[in-house]
Amino acid sequence: MPADTRLLDEDQRALVGLVREFGSNELAPAVEGYESRGEDPRVLYAQLAELGLAGLPFPEDHGGGGQPYSNYLLLIEELAYHYLSFAIGVSVHTLCTFAVNEYGTEQQKKDVLTKLASGEWFGAYSLSESDSGSDAAALATKAERTEGAYILSGGKVFCTRGEEADVVLVMARTGGEGPKGISAFLVEKKTDGFSGLKKEEKMGWRSSPTWQLSLDEAQIRVDRRLGDEGQGFKIALASLDSGRLGIAACGTGLAQAALDATLEFTTEREQFGVPVAHNEGVQFMLADMSTQIEAGRRLYRHAAALRDAGEDYSLQAAQAKLFCTDAAMKVTTDAVQLHGGYGYITEYPAERFMRDAKGLQIVEGTNQIQRYVIGRRLTS
Amino acid sequence: MNIAVCVKHIPDPNLPGELDGQRLKREGVQGTLDPGDEFGVETALQLKQAHEGEVTLVSMGPPQALEGIRRGLSMGADKGVLVSDDSLQGADALITARVLAAAIKRTDFDLVIAGVESTDGYTGTMPSTLAELLGVPQLTFTNAIEATGDALKVHRQTVDGYQVVECSLPALITVTAGVNEPRYASFKGIMAAKKKPVEELSVADLGLSADDVKVAQNIVDISQAEERKAGEVIEDDGSGAAKIADYLKEAKVI
């Protein structure tokens, strides 16, 4: 059974109703095809924009939905329930849109935010480099200031929808070493010198394209620098705080899908003359799965409520990302186990759920980095 | 072109139906806008896009039928009228038509759109009765609609094809499920729908008397529909294709 809606307000219920309808009519029948072809579901992003769901947590006067972040996460959980790779794409788009909304000038909001929040454009986010992942402040991509522009040179890795997005938020070095030497730039598609170098082959998330990007003396206008010079790392981390909640909601939605598929399978599958689910050993596993999911859901919604109330939430966001995605890994692994041989073959979705869960433990700060963030907050 | 669309809030047809005596149980069950009516709403919205005017949703039902109207409003209709009255409990198709006719007459309509039949009662008689009571021509089973100012040209689906029929406005049409692809209500549409006007009327507000809404129809008996028989299974011993061809010939399909 999908997430409990009893305590949601009328707007939230309407939102969840709409997304579930979209999910079961459009996403569920499409997911297998896109995943097996490794094809970006461009049409679905356009449909999401038509439904007015591409910029839910951003101001209405800039094309957004004017909704609290908590409501946006309901959307993400429901999307992930049907189609994880798509939910990831939407979460990454929101990461980019968040930064423009938070740090953009009025002109940038007019030019870029309105397009992103309405879904006319979709955005991507690019921080990682081949030698700078968890140690993001060590990034080496250079941005040299010239007359009226910056010249960006270097290479980026692991950029979700880097080639498909209309604009990519790219972090590059304008100053000296360390976090204070980094600035953020809005790099538009088709900018000369900016291109997708290689699309990675991945274990999961196969229809969410992951790119190595090349910046070869790409010229970026000064008015496309987001925030001040040297503010880029702060922007990158603030976006991640917010984005972590999206990944947590993805974990919960994915785990819920795995549990529901497992409940269906184990109640139908009979061995020794009874449904597999009638065995206490199996029921205990199902009980643990559902409890983990529900606990995670409460954690990410609590963090989101803090965020909506204007409170500091970065500790809770890290806890939610850590817990929900570890829970997703455990739940999907058990889902495969409870499907027996059918869990290991591609005819059933359980193996895809398990492959997809692994990525969630790695992105937007590995779960080891989340523990580092949490530990540092607790002891400082 | 001002359009009135008949919409009905029904027990969710995707869930197993329950009986309350000899009638479908309607209270305390999950309800939804009749999926067949979404085609009518979509038809109206497309005609409005081409010819301007206003789309009014008209419904009869208990207070929760407002949900069905809201659904249509969130798709883009302009306003709603809900006739709700305790005396209408158990109303038959004739009373429904009488009530809807009275409600629609209060609006300035050029066209009335209804589904071919409801997805709960399935009598299919209400729209024709309604057209009669409104004194307008009826074009039923339409699956393509073209409006030209003060006239309509439609394709009327038949068993073996379609008829092209024209009529003047005002008129009533019933639309089939194949007529279009109903749009999703967008999130903004859902938010906006909450602010759109819905007039709630009683039987007395419509100027109808207690006699006008007195049920004349008596349900004598109901029974389970006969279960569809299992199909014939042909073992393919090499002659499967030929047997299928024979079967299709017998059915006069080929």
Side-chain angles (χ1 to χ4, degrees):
Chain A
M1 69 213 80
D4 195 341
T5 58
R6 281 177 298 176
L7 289 181
L8 299 185
D9 66 29
E10 197 191 330
D11 289 1
Q12 292 172 325
R13 245 182 258 183
L15 172 67
V16 168
L18 172 63
V19 184
R20 283 186 183 168
E21 196 182 343
F22 175 62
S24 45
N25 292 348
E26 313 293 336
L27 302 183
V31 58
E32 285 297 342
Y34 282 118
E35 282 291 301
S36 63
R37 294 191 299 275
E39 180 189 337
D40 180 61
R42 193 171 193 83
V43 179
L44 297 176
Y45 287 99
Q47 273 186 295
L48 189 81
E50 262 176 52
L51 293 177
L53 298 175
L56 220 44
F58 303 107
E60 285 180 279
D61 55 5
H62 284 109
Q67 292 295 303
Y69 205 75
S70 305
N71 291 7
Y72 156 73
L73 293 176
L74 295 175
L75 162 76
I76 292 294
E77 185 186 328
E78 294 295 331
L79 293 179
Y81 181 82
H82 291 289
Y83 187 171
L84 184 80
S85 292
F86 180 61
I88 293 293
V90 177
S91 181
V92 166
H93 162 68
T94 307
L95 203 62
C96 173
T97 313
F98 164 84
V100 183
N101 182 49
E102 209 71 12
Y103 299 96
T105 59
E106 271 317 304
Q107 193 61 41
Q108 286 171 334
K109 287 187 186 180
K110 203 166 148 248
D111 294 348
V112 182
L113 178 59
T114 47
K115 292 195 173 106
L116 288 171
S118 64
E120 181 187 339
W121 277 10
F122 273 84
Y125 174 96
S126 188
L127 176 63
S128 296
E129 297 182 1
S130 53
D131 293 328
S132 135
S134 296
D135 184 9
L139 65 83
T141 294
K142 281 237 166 319
E144 275 182 80
R145 177 85 186 246
T146 62
E147 192 75 24
Y150 288 90
I151 309 295
L152 269 63
S153 299
K156 290 285 177 183
V157 298
F158 303 136
C159 181
T160 299
R161 299 193 82 228
E163 173 115 326
E164 289 76 10
D166 300 282
V167 62
V168 185
L169 180 66
V170 174
M171 266 53 74
R173 191 165 297 284
T174 47
E177 281 183 18
K180 295 219 162 65
I182 297 170
S183 301
F185 298 91
L186 294 165
V187 179
E188 284 178 39
K189 192 177 194 165
K190 290 181 185 152
T191 298
D192 282 342
F194 169 64
S195 60
L197 205 58
K198 184 190 170 205
K199 188 174 139 182
E200 306 288 0
E201 285 292 330
K202 301 193 298 298
M203 176 192 228
W205 302 14
R206 297 183 57 81
S207 62
S208 165
T210 303
W211 286 93
Q212 285 183 27
L213 299 175
S214 161
L215 291 147
D216 183 12
E217 300 194 344
Q219 198 171 326
I220 309 301
R221 289 187 346 233
V222 172
D223 65 5
R224 284 294 180 265
R225 186 193 69 224
L226 192 67
D228 297 331
E229 254 191 34
Q231 210 188 358
F233 196 66
K234 190 182 157 205
I235 293 174
L237 291 197
S239 304
L240 285 180
D241 267 351
S242 194
R244 269 165 197 156
L245 291 179
I247 299 301
C250 279
T252 299
L254 174 68
Q256 186 71 56
L259 173 62
D260 288 1
T262 308
L263 284 172
E264 191 182 327
F265 182 84
T266 54
T267 45
E268 276 173 14
R269 167 86 170 162
E270 291 196 1
Q271 290 293 281
F272 306 107
V274 291
V276 171
H278 285 193
N279 294 292
E280 191 178 58
V282 171
Q283 286 184 8
F284 278 13
M285 286 173 78
L286 293 168
D288 284 346
M289 290 160 82
S290 92
T291 306
Q292 292 271 306
I293 293 167
E294 200 53 42
R297 185 175 284 133
R298 296 303 126 207
L299 202 48
Y300 91 66
R301 290 193 184 169
H302 171 62
L306 285 172
R307 186 188 188 284
D308 285 328
E311 298 289 338
D312 182 31
Y313 66 98
S314 74
L315 169 66
Q316 287 77 12
Q319 288 173 330
K321 196 273 180 181
L322 169 64
F323 187 87
C324 292
T325 61
D326 277 358
M329 193 69 246
K330 174 83 171 81
V331 167
T332 55
T333 305
D334 285 349
V336 168
Q337 190 67 24
L338 289 176
H339 276 72
Y342 295 102
Y344 205 64
I345 61 174
T346 57
E347 195 182 327
Y348 285 78
E351 60 84 32
R352 168 163 55 84
F353 294 149
M354 186 175 164
R355 286 186 287 109
D356 282 352
K358 194 69 219 172
L360 295 172
Q361 292 181 302
I362 297 170
V363 290
E364 297 196 16
T366 63
N367 284 5
Q368 286 62 42
I369 288 293
Q370 304 303 326
R371 288 178 171 93
Y372 168 77
V373 169
I374 296 164
R376 213 175 37 175
R377 288 298 292 258
L378 292 175
T379 55
S380 67
Chain B
M1 182 184 290
N2 291 328
I3 304 169
V5 186
C6 301
V7 294
K8 189 174 185 185
H9 189 247
I10 63 167
D12 189 337
N14 295 314
L15 304 172
E18 289 174 64
L19 284 176
D20 182 4
Q22 294 200 327
R23 295 185 183 281
L24 194 61
K25 188 173 176 211
R26 294 175 185 279
E27 269 168 45
V29 297
Q30 173 70 39
T32 180
L33 173 65
D34 189 327
D37 290 340
E38 290 192 13
F39 297 97
V41 176
E42 180 62 37
T43 304
L45 295 175
Q46 287 182 12
L47 287 169
K48 182 193 159 169
Q49 264 160 10
H51 302 277
E52 304 203 334
E54 233 178 11
V55 176
T56 307
L57 307 175
V58 185
S59 188
M60 182 188 101
Q64 60 265 31
L66 188 60
E67 276 175 47
I69 291 182
R70 290 268 176 241
R71 167 90 190 183
L73 292 175
S74 59
M75 287 170 73
D78 300 290
K79 54 186 184 158
V81 178
L82 173 63
V83 185
S84 203
D85 200 305
D86 286 345
S87 67
L88 292 171
Q89 239 180 353
D92 57 25
L94 174 60
I95 291 170
T96 308
R98 215 175 259 155
V99 166
L100 292 179
I104 290 168
K105 272 182 188 160
R106 298 168 87 248
T107 70
D108 175 24
F109 73 95
D110 300 300
L111 180 65
V112 178
I113 303 178
V116 166
E117 58 188 359
S118 61
T119 314
D120 54 352
Y122 286 104
T123 70
T125 58
M126 198 289 292
S128 295
T129 316
L130 176 59
E132 238 2 78
L133 292 173
L134 290 171
V136 298
Q138 52 176 299
L139 303 179
T140 52
F141 292 98
T142 64
N143 60 10
I145 296 123
E146 202 184 305
T148 52
D150 53 1
L152 272 190
K153 188 166 157 184
V154 305
H155 287 184
R156 185 174 183 279
Q157 193 180 312
T158 64
V159 177
D160 46 11
Y162 63 86
Q163 300 164 338
V164 181
V165 188
E166 289 183 334
C167 82
S168 60
L169 293 173
L172 177 144
I173 61 173
T174 68
V175 294
T176 65
V179 67
N180 52 37
E181 176 93 20
R183 68 195 65 190
Y184 283 100
S186 74
F187 186 63
K188 281 201 172 73
I190 292 172
M191 293 290 126
K194 291 196 293 188
K195 294 186 193 118
K196 290 181 178 173
V198 179
E199 196 179 7
E200 297 192 43
L201 300 171
S202 67
V203 166
D205 291 333
L206 292 174
L208 296 176
S209 69
D211 277 350
D212 289 330
V213 296
K214 199 171 153 206
V215 180
Q217 172 186 293
N218 184 21
I219 299 173
V220 180
D221 191 21
I222 54 166
S223 58
Q224 286 281 347
E226 201 177 318
E227 267 195 48
R228 202 175 284 193
K229 292 191 180 73
E232 188 184 341
V233 178
I234 297 172
E235 289 288 335
D236 187 12
D237 53 4
S239 64
K243 280 182 184 157
I244 289 171
D246 287 344
Y247 177 81
L248 293 175
K249 263 183 222 157
E250 206 176 306
K252 296 192 174 144
V253 177
I254 55 172

